[in-house]
Amino acid sequence: MKNSSIVTCDELRVITGYSRPADISRTLRSQGIRVFMGKNGPWTTLDLINSAGGMHAAANNEAYSPTIL
């Protein structure tokens, strides 16, 4: 089963332009992206990439009434 939020080593190779796992990991860590090592090489998630870029999920769960407009 493939989780679409996981960014695999093969995808990271294309994104970074590096082929060696150590180069991929070093580049991502230097940009503040948390990287995990798996048997096929480094991997991360879209949430970790977005978080490093300053994007976070909205924390406001309040429902607004239609009269707000």
Side-chain angles (χ1 to χ4, degrees):
M1 182 168 98
K2 172 136 170 74
N3 184 338
S4 63
S5 67
I6 292 176
V7 184
T8 66
C9 185
D10 289 335
E11 293 168 323
L12 292 172
R13 280 187 176 95
V14 172
I15 293 167
T16 63
Y18 292 109
S19 59
R20 294 186 324 161
D23 294 335
I24 295 169
S25 296
R26 184 185 69 247
T27 299
L28 296 176
R29 286 189 179 113
S30 73
Q31 295 178 26
I33 300 170
R34 189 167 179 194
V35 179
F36 302 94
M37 289 304 296
K39 69 177 184 173
N40 296 324
W43 63 274
T44 191
T45 67
L46 289 176
D47 288 340
L48 291 172
I49 292 170
N50 289 336
S51 179
M55 298 175 67
H56 302 283
N60 188 354
N61 295 328
E62 290 183 33
Y64 294 101
S65 101
T67 60
I68 195 169
L69 300 174

